[in-house]
Amino acid sequence: MEGNQSQITEFILVGFQLSEDLKLLLFGIFSLLYTFNLLANGMILGLIWFDPRLHSPMYFFLSHLGLIDIFYASSNLPNLLANLMLLILSFGSVECLILLAMSYDRYVAICHPLQYTVIMNWKVCSILAIACWACGFALALVQVILLLRLPFCGPQKVNHFLCEIRSVLKLACGDIWMNEMFLFADAALILVGPLSLILVSYMRILWAILKIQSKEGCKKAFSTCSSHLCVVGFYFGLVMIVYMVPDNSQREEHLKILFLFYTLFNPLLNPLVYSVRNAQVKAAFHRVLQKKRTV
């Protein structure tokens, strides 16, 4: 029986079952969102690069977050299955780890302000950033290698709008227990682990803020953390709903919509939150506008 089965080398993405008119409308909306994502994250990267006042560890990690959001949104475009899945998994993992590094930066800045420049020097920041990228790509590469070893005998249709790994695994005709085990381990390492450390960091931060005597000091400390906390809450909340809720065939369409929301709107969240809620970024933007007016 197994010897007569033909191997599948291509998959068909089912996407959403919509009318042609609605598809055209959504195509226009998603194109605008993708363009706005490139412009917004590009603006944040440009401000951080050209404004010396933003050359600090916090904005160093924020620039990496902007790059990840650009790459993640763009990783849905390639056609090759392995490349596409590797990029999606990699950028998602790296973003979790970068958010963890940013929480550590905020912890040091508020709980150890006098030692901040010594602890968070550029060497430490560079090592943290390189470690985040290396770990993210290594974990994703393991998942893709384990996937490519599986036989696929049919059907060809992936019930998703991109090559999401759990949807592809459903089409395998071999034993996928090892893949599921590594997926669970990745979820614990990339989602539960960083989120737990972030919560511990913010508990320490909150305790340190409550000890500050002046209202102005408390307000400033809260403002430096609020943007990062908003991004963390939205990102980890949505990812845990998508990946850690038990799989159910009746909820596949709902999960696809959640995944679409995560893919399109999450890359827009970082520049919006950090530009609206962050006084330093807004001040840098105003300085750039004033320079253009004087020129």
Side-chain angles (χ1 to χ4, degrees), residues 1 9 45 70 121 149 161 172 174 178 238 248 253 278:
M1 291 291 291
T9 58
L45 289 173
I70 291 173
N121 57 64
R149 72 181 241 289
F161 59 89
M178 186 179 292
L238 200 56
N248 189 334
E253 292 301 317
N278 192 292

Coordinates of all heavy atoms in Angstrom, one line a residue, residues 1 9 45 70 121 149 161 172 174 178 238 248 253 278:
M1 N 0.8 -1.2 0.0 CA 0.0 0.0 0.0 C 0.9 1.3 0.0 O 0.7 2.2 -0.8 CB -0.9 0.0 1.2 CG -2.0 -1.0 1.2 SD -3.2 -0.7 0.0 CE -4.0 0.8 0.7
T9 N 4.5 17.0 -4.1 CA 5.6 18.0 -4.1 C 5.0 19.4 -4.1 O 5.8 20.3 -3.9 CB 6.5 17.8 -5.3 OG1 5.8 17.9 -6.5 CG2 7.2 16.4 -5.2
L45 N 12.5 53.3 11.8 CA 13.9 53.0 11.6 C 14.7 54.2 11.2 O 15.8 54.4 11.6 CB 14.0 51.9 10.5 CG 13.5 50.5 10.9 CD1 13.5 49.6 9.6 CD2 14.4 49.9 11.9
I70 N 8.7 44.3 9.3 CA 8.8 44.4 7.8 C 9.1 43.1 7.2 O 8.4 42.7 6.2 CB 9.9 45.4 7.4 CG1 9.5 46.9 7.9 CG2 10.2 45.4 5.9 CD1 10.6 47.9 7.6
N121 N 25.5 48.1 28.0 CA 26.4 48.7 27.0 C 26.1 48.1 25.6 O 25.4 47.2 25.5 CB 27.8 48.5 27.4 CG 28.2 47.1 27.6 OD1 28.2 46.3 26.7 ND2 28.5 46.7 28.9
R149 N 11.0 15.9 6.3 CA 11.3 14.4 6.3 C 10.0 13.6 6.2 O 10.1 12.4 6.0 CB 12.0 14.0 7.6 CG 11.1 14.1 8.8 CD 11.9 13.8 10.1 NE 11.3 12.6 10.8 CZ 10.2 12.6 11.4 NH1 9.4 13.6 11.4 NH2 9.8 11.5 12.0
F161 N -4.4 30.5 4.4 CA -4.0 31.4 3.3 C -2.5 31.5 3.2 O -2.0 32.3 2.4 CB -4.6 32.8 3.6 CG -4.3 33.4 4.9 CD1 -3.1 34.2 5.0 CD2 -5.0 33.2 6.0 CE1 -2.8 34.8 6.2 CE2 -4.7 33.8 7.2 CZ -3.6 34.6 7.3
A172 N 0.1 15.3 6.2 CA 1.2 14.3 6.2 C 0.5 12.9 6.4 O -0.4 12.7 7.1 CB 2.2 14.5 7.3
G174 N 2.5 10.3 7.3 CA 3.4 9.6 8.2 C 3.1 10.0 9.6 O 2.2 10.7 10.0
M178 N 6.7 13.4 16.6 CA 7.9 14.1 16.8 C 7.7 15.6 16.5 O 8.2 16.5 17.3 CB 9.1 13.5 16.1 CG 10.4 14.2 16.4 SD 11.8 13.4 15.5 CE 11.8 11.8 16.3
L238 N -2.5 37.3 21.4 CA -3.0 36.8 20.1 C -2.3 35.5 19.7 O -2.9 34.5 19.2 CB -2.9 37.9 19.0 CG -3.7 37.7 17.8 CD1 -5.2 37.7 18.1 CD2 -3.5 38.9 16.8
N248 N -9.2 22.4 16.5 CA -10.6 22.0 16.4 C -11.0 22.3 15.0 O -10.9 23.5 14.5 CB -11.5 22.7 17.4 CG -12.9 22.1 17.4 OD1 -13.4 21.6 16.4 ND2 -13.6 22.2 18.6
E253 N -11.9 28.2 10.6 CA -12.1 29.5 9.9 C -11.9 30.7 10.9 O -11.3 31.7 10.5 CB -13.5 29.5 9.4 CG -13.8 28.6 8.2 CD -12.9 28.9 7.0 OE1 -12.7 30.1 6.7 OE2 -12.4 27.9 6.4
N278 N 5.0 57.5 22.7 CA 6.4 57.7 23.1 C 6.7 59.2 22.8 O 6.8 59.6 21.7 CB 7.3 56.7 22.4 CG 8.7 56.8 23.0 OD1 9.4 57.7 22.9 ND2 9.1 55.7 23.6

